[in-house]
Amino acid sequence: MIFSTVHRSKGMEYDTVQLVNDFLSEGKIKKLMDDNGARALNATKLNEEINLLYVAVTRTKNSIHIPEALLPDGFPGSAQIHVVKAMDAEEQDRTQTTGSVHKEERKADTKEKAYSVDEVRTRHSGAYKPWTPELDEELTVMYCEGITTKDMAKHFGRTKGAILSRIKKLELEELYG
């Protein structure tokens, strides 16, 4: 999944595109005209916004997921156009309330580590132990012999991630390919 701004997606094409509801829509234009009058609208800015929406919509090769508010009145349906219904105010309140509760739970959870060194060492005996020059030499030899990362992890009692990090730190890929 690729998240991108419209500006960065110019010239690109994707199988499926999903738009968010932050573009200028027909409803927003009507509201601006009602509130400010037609003369107060900046035509240049309005054209820029319309062109951005055009670029966003034309990035798809197969299908697009577009918020209902961005479709003009009377727009015909299509198998490639998937209309995303807008949430009503009650649904938004529920989502925001639930989201803030989860954030508070995550904040409370982050005060403690999800694991302890002892717990990790029950599965990987060498976890968090310092690397010595002898261990680095042994790892280098095993790397050159083509031993798999999984087997090196078992041998050293460490995770595959720890082995890959050490290989990167020692620059074994650059030195020995």
Side-chain angles (χ1 to χ4, degrees):
M1 188 176 290
I2 298 170
F3 292 91
S4 177
T5 64
V6 176
H7 292 287
R8 289 210 171 183
S9 70
K10 284 183 181 175
M12 305 293 286
E13 283 189 325
Y14 306 96
D15 287 329
T16 302
V17 171
Q18 182 165 350
L19 301 180
V20 294
N21 192 14
D22 65 349
F23 291 93
L24 189 62
S25 65
E26 186 177 13
K28 289 178 186 175
I29 293 171
K30 286 179 183 176
K31 187 175 186 315
L32 283 172
M33 289 179 70
D34 291 343
D35 293 348
N36 302 327
R39 283 176 253 155
L41 292 178
N42 181 341
T44 306
K45 180 75 174 153
L46 188 62
N47 281 334
E48 281 179 36
E49 292 293 324
I50 292 169
N51 286 337
L52 274 177
L53 179 57
Y54 172 80
V55 170
V57 169
T58 57
R59 296 307 90 204
T60 186
K61 291 191 267 184
N62 295 320
S63 67
I64 186 166
H65 297 264
I66 187 166
E68 184 176 35
L70 295 179
L71 291 174
D73 294 336
F75 190 82
S78 169
Q80 287 81 25
I81 300 172
H82 307 282
V83 179
V84 178
K85 302 289 183 195
M87 279 193 265
D88 61 18
E90 185 179 311
E91 286 177 309
Q92 286 178 339
D93 287 344
R94 268 199 314 264
T95 303
Q96 289 172 347
T97 303
T98 306
S100 62
V101 168
H102 290 305
K103 282 181 188 174
E104 293 302 318
E105 289 172 0
R106 283 194 303 268
K107 281 182 187 175
D109 290 345
T110 56
K111 291 178 184 171
E112 293 180 17
K113 285 187 176 179
Y115 60 89
S116 70
V117 172
D118 293 332
E119 287 175 22
V120 175
R121 282 193 178 151
T122 60
R123 289 175 282 143
H124 308 284
S125 61
Y128 300 106
K129 290 182 180 176
W131 285 90
T132 63
E134 293 80 19
L135 289 174
D136 285 344
E137 180 64 32
E138 193 175 350
L139 178 68
T140 302
V141 169
M142 292 178 83
Y143 180 84
C144 290
E145 290 176 351
I147 308 287
T148 66
T149 307
K150 182 179 178 182
D151 289 338
M152 286 189 274
K154 280 182 188 177
H155 174 78
F156 289 105
R158 298 179 187 251
T159 64
K160 287 192 289 187
I163 299 298
L164 290 171
S165 283
R166 197 63 184 176
I167 289 170
K168 186 174 182 179
K169 179 161 180 74
L170 296 173
E171 299 177 343
L172 297 182
E173 288 181 4
E174 290 81 7
L175 294 172
Y176 303 106

